[in-house]
Amino acid sequence: MSDLLSDSEITAQLPDGWERDGDEIVRLFEFDAYLDALGFAAGAGGIAEDAWHHPEMIINWGEVEVRFTTHDAGGITEKDIDLAERFNGVYE
């Protein structure tokens, strides 16, 4: 199991574009079209599957909301921060 990050660690390590929402980190990725959003979700989902750490993803027209938390640890861990950074890389 991963160790929970402290509030100050979360604040210091939170990747660009991400916000804290209680025991989760969240980001809304925006796109010009539905298929662009769907393609992002598919690519990001593959990364999550490889890491065996699965976020909540909500796909709408032109946007994907992603939420990370480490359920077995009860909050935000390095796993969440790492995958948030990797999702940012897919988005760029």
Side-chain angles (χ1 to χ4, degrees):
M1 176 186 337
S2 298
D3 293 330
L4 288 175
L5 296 176
S6 69
D7 290 340
S8 60
E9 288 172 321
I10 294 166
T11 299
Q13 296 178 40
L14 201 61
D16 289 342
W18 290 81
E19 297 178 359
R20 183 175 185 179
D21 184 11
D23 289 337
E24 300 177 317
I25 58 174
V26 61
R27 179 168 179 184
L28 184 67
F29 293 93
E30 296 181 296
F31 303 90
D32 291 331
Y34 178 75
L35 287 179
D36 294 337
L38 193 60
F40 168 81
I47 290 169
E49 181 67 14
D50 286 346
W52 199 247
H53 190 60
H54 305 97
E56 177 181 318
M57 289 196 282
I58 301 170
I59 304 165
N60 290 304
W61 192 96
E63 62 185 30
V64 178
E65 180 184 86
V66 178
R67 292 180 170 271
F68 275 111
T69 191
T70 303
H71 295 286
D72 62 355
I76 302 165
T77 68
E78 285 289 336
K79 285 182 178 180
D80 304 305
I81 299 296
D82 176 59
L83 282 177
E85 290 172 348
R86 293 176 69 190
F87 278 30
N88 279 1
V90 171
Y91 186 63
E92 294 171 355

